[in-house]
Amino acid sequence: MSGPRGPELGPNGPADPLRIQHNILEEQVELWWFRDPGKSILCYCVAVLLILGCGLGGVGLLSTTTSVSSEWRLGTGTALCLLALGVLLKQLLSSAVQDMNCIRSRQRINMLKSGGFSDLLVVLFTGMLLTICGGVLLHVALVNHMPKPGKALNDMYISGVVLLAGGGAAVLGVGIYFVMVVLLERTRHGRRFVDRVLNIFTVSGRMDRLARRNTTSSLANLI
């Protein structure tokens, strides 16, 4: 009677069940959308803040439009509402593409998923537009406030400062996020290189142990 069978030997030694399970999970396209949950949650929260901030700000400006300040309130409020709709449309589009499971490319999924490259572009574009709108309002308010001060110009000045601060914070946040992601990716590549080196030594050690076992068994058979 033969004894119990040991683990099956692969080309580089015994097969690792954890690595086999990891490779099987890596092949599941549905799971590619949920990699790096920390980045996804962060970018999703930023998108929600942009939608709420731009939407509420735009509705507030449109609802307080008067004959005295109709032009800049109407234009700025419309721009803010369009920005909120654009960010919301991106989130809905990513969710729809994920639900339809019509994309099988890892690169496209990494671009469209929450926390991907498309989120960075949307936040950067929104921040730049907010900065431009805030700068224009601030410039107009400062230029026209000297000859004829008034409440409308004060409101324009406050709105310009708020938009400029929000847009600058968004652009600065994207820059910090990009730098941190690049550094983390480099660190991961370094870790992968170390892991590969360790795996090489581990595999060679296993081969040495297997060779010693084979030599010992052959000597025992000779004796």
Side-chain angles (χ1 to χ4, degrees):
M1 294 179 62
S2 61
R5 297 181 60 185
E8 296 182 359
L9 295 180
N12 296 325
D16 190 0
L18 295 178
R19 178 166 296 181
I20 295 175
Q21 183 180 6
H22 178 73
N23 293 334
I24 294 175
L25 293 177
E26 282 290 328
E27 295 176 357
Q28 302 298 320
V29 180
E30 295 81 5
L31 299 179
W32 294 352
W33 293 91
F34 303 100
R35 295 178 62 89
D36 299 326
K39 296 179 184 178
S40 300
I41 294 174
L42 177 62
C43 291
Y44 181 78
C45 293
V46 171
V48 171
L49 290 177
L50 288 178
I51 293 171
L52 292 178
C54 294
L56 294 177
V59 171
L61 289 177
L62 291 177
S63 62
T64 57
T65 300
T66 59
S67 59
V68 179
S69 59
S70 60
E71 295 180 357
W72 73 269
R73 286 181 183 272
L74 183 62
T76 307
T78 304
L80 291 178
C81 290
L82 290 177
L83 284 177
L85 288 177
V87 179
L88 179 61
L89 180 62
K90 188 273 166 186
Q91 297 297 326
L92 293 177
L93 179 62
S94 298
S95 180
V97 172
Q98 177 181 344
D99 293 337
M100 290 186 295
N101 197 20
C102 57
I103 294 181
R104 316 294 293 182
S105 173
R106 185 188 293 268
Q107 183 179 1
R108 293 182 179 178
I109 290 177
N110 290 334
M111 180 179 294
L112 291 176
K113 71 179 183 180
S114 181
F117 186 69
S118 59
D119 274 350
L120 292 181
L121 291 180
V122 170
V123 176
L124 180 62
F125 180 74
T126 305
M128 291 177 64
L129 286 184
L130 291 177
T131 304
I132 294 173
C133 291
V136 171
L137 292 180
L138 193 60
H139 175 73
V140 174
L142 291 176
V143 170
N144 296 329
H145 189 270
M146 296 304 293
K148 48 178 182 178
K151 184 178 184 301
L153 293 177
N154 291 333
D155 294 341
M156 184 186 296
Y157 179 81
I158 294 174
S159 300
V161 171
V162 172
L163 292 178
L164 190 62
V171 174
L172 182 62
V174 170
I176 295 175
Y177 178 84
F178 182 76
V179 172
M180 291 181 62
V181 167
V182 170
L183 292 178
L184 288 177
E185 289 297 330
R186 289 182 179 179
T187 304
R188 287 182 180 178
H189 286 305
R191 290 179 180 176
R192 289 176 182 175
F193 177 76
V194 174
D195 292 337
R196 288 178 182 177
V197 174
L198 292 177
N199 288 333
I200 290 174
F201 283 107
T202 303
V203 170
S204 62
R206 289 178 179 175
M207 293 178 65
D208 291 340
R209 287 195 296 270
L210 288 173
R212 291 176 183 175
R213 289 177 183 175
N214 293 334
T215 305
T216 305
S217 60
S218 59
L219 290 176
N221 292 331
L222 289 175
I223 295 174

